[in-house]
Amino acid sequence: MRDALATMTGDGGPEPLSREEGLELLALSEVVIRKAGYGRQAMVRSARAAGASWTQIGAALGTSKQAAWEAHNRWIAEQARQHELTGYEGLGPDEADAARGLAGRPD
C-alpha cells in the first residue's frame, strides 16, 4: 500500500500501478473490508450473547454505546435486505428478528 501511495506523489519511487492493478487492489480491499465488517458484527453478537452491555461493546470499539448499537442495527437491516434480494444470503426473517432481539436497546 505504501508503494502504491508513493507513486501518486511522483517522488521517483516504483512505477505507478496500471489501471488494472489499481482496480484489482481496490476490489481486493473491498472484499477485506466486507469480511472484516462481517467478522466485527459477529463478534458484537457474540459479546451480546455473553452478556456484554452496549457500553462495554462501545468501549471495545472505541465509540459510544449508541453508535455501536446503531451500527449493529444497520448491519442487521442490511443483512435482512440482502436476504430479501437473493433469497439465501444475509439473514432470513427469523434470523434477523433473533439478531434484533439479541441487540436489544442501548443500555
Side-chain angles (χ1 to χ4, degrees), residues 85-99:
L85 293 173
T86 67
Y88 62 94
E89 292 179 336
L91 298 174
D94 292 341
E95 295 168 312
D97 286 344

Side-chain angles (χ1 to χ4, degrees), residues 54-77:
W54 282 106
T55 299
Q56 293 168 320
I57 292 169
L61 296 173
T63 188
S64 70
K65 66 182 180 185
Q66 185 72 30
W69 181 83
E70 288 174 1
H72 189 64
N73 278 279
R74 278 192 305 273
W75 177 82
I76 294 169

